[in-house]
Amino acid sequence: MHKSVTPEDLERWGASIAEEYLQPALTHRSWAYENEGEHAERLEFLGDSILGAVVAASIFLDSPEASEGDMSKIKAAAVSERSLAEVARTLNLGEFVRLGRGEELSGGREKDSILADTIEALIAATYLTHGLDVARDVILRHLMPKIDKARRLGPALDRRTAFEEKSRELGIVGTLDYEMEGEGPDHARRYTAHVYIDDRHWGTGVATSQKQAKLEACKDAYYALDGQA
């Protein structure tokens, strides 16, 4: 069962939101299909565009030496589904989303996709309530740490490529391979990836998808190799 949003919750978000936008922003399509009414998908579309523009402008202005490719990688990391879901969890947004019975039973309140979509919908709702300046302030309030972290990671943002290039620099050559493990029920499955070069283990990553777990393993391996440089 979802909770009602309080003024204190909106204060943590960074702006008030008109009720006509707030409730749709917190309504998943599964709830709308079962109960009729508006849901968040149109707001998600608008919020995604506003989010991308604000973050792109911030990176452009704060990283004058960065190439287009570097800026694209920083932006992709900062506004990724996982990044937005992490922001949502710090705000306990999952407690406020209206979900249909199926999504409720399958752990929808903790799904990265639903949490990230909710952030995008709330950005749009903030924009429609107050305009771009307030929406920009809210976005940067929550995403600036993600942008700064992505900027510091630099080449490690492209994690597999960075790992492969670093290994070649250090004279470590061979075939890159992974071992995968999965545990938990289907709706909350977690994967652990181990990355190897010619049977030598270099890194481990854990995530809710096999692809992300592999990337996390390459990130871990990159830093392991970087420590040997």
Side-chain angles (χ1 to χ4, degrees), residues 19-79:
E19 189 67 21
E20 63 182 302
Y21 305 123
L22 179 61
Q23 285 308 313
L26 294 173
T27 302
H28 189 257
R29 63 180 179 274
S30 61
W31 189 95
Y33 292 161
E34 291 178 8
N35 298 277
E36 298 186 355
E38 291 184 85
H39 55 77
E41 286 189 348
R42 281 173 52 83
L43 289 169
E44 292 164 16
F45 167 79
L46 177 59
D48 176 65
S49 297
I50 296 167
L51 171 65
V54 168
V55 171
S58 175
I59 295 167
F60 179 87
L61 294 171
D62 293 342
S63 306
E65 304 302 321
S67 67
E68 179 187 359
D70 290 339
M71 290 190 294
S72 294
K73 291 174 186 176
I74 294 169
K75 176 176 175 284
V79 303

Side-chain angles (χ1 to χ4, degrees), residues 76-111:
V79 303
S80 68
E81 180 180 283
R82 184 178 183 186
S83 177
L84 296 181
E86 288 173 353
V87 172
R89 289 190 177 95
T90 66
L91 299 168
N92 297 319
L93 283 188
E95 298 179 359
F96 307 111
V97 180
R98 296 194 291 186
L99 296 172
R101 288 186 296 274
E103 281 293 351
E104 188 79 66
L105 293 172
S106 66
R109 296 189 188 281
E110 280 301 312
K111 288 183 179 178

